[in-house]
Amino acid sequence: MKGVRDLLFEVLGKPHASTFVVIDEVEMENWGVGGVTVSEYRAQQAKGGK
């Protein structure tokens, strides 16, 4: 969280006091990479990619 806060300050000049970081975990089946779920993507990578 400190890294995000510091990066936003360094790049955008955003004051630390107005920076909020929220972590919202998402199930792997609810997000994807390259048009497939993360689980499918990892399985493809384990088989040597596509």
Side-chain angles (χ1 to χ4, degrees):
M1 293 197 195
K2 181 182 181 307
V4 171
R5 180 200 72 176
D6 292 346
L7 180 65
L8 288 171
F9 178 76
E10 291 172 19
V11 174
L12 302 175
K14 184 171 173 52
H16 292 151
S18 67
T19 299
F20 297 85
V21 177
V22 177
I23 298 173
D24 186 12
E25 293 189 29
V26 178
E27 297 291 329
M28 281 195 301
E29 296 302 317
N30 293 330
W31 64 290
V33 177
V36 298
T37 65
V38 171
S39 298
E40 292 171 19
Y41 177 80
R42 288 181 178 176
Q44 290 173 359
Q45 296 303 304
K47 293 179 183 175
K50 238 185 174 182

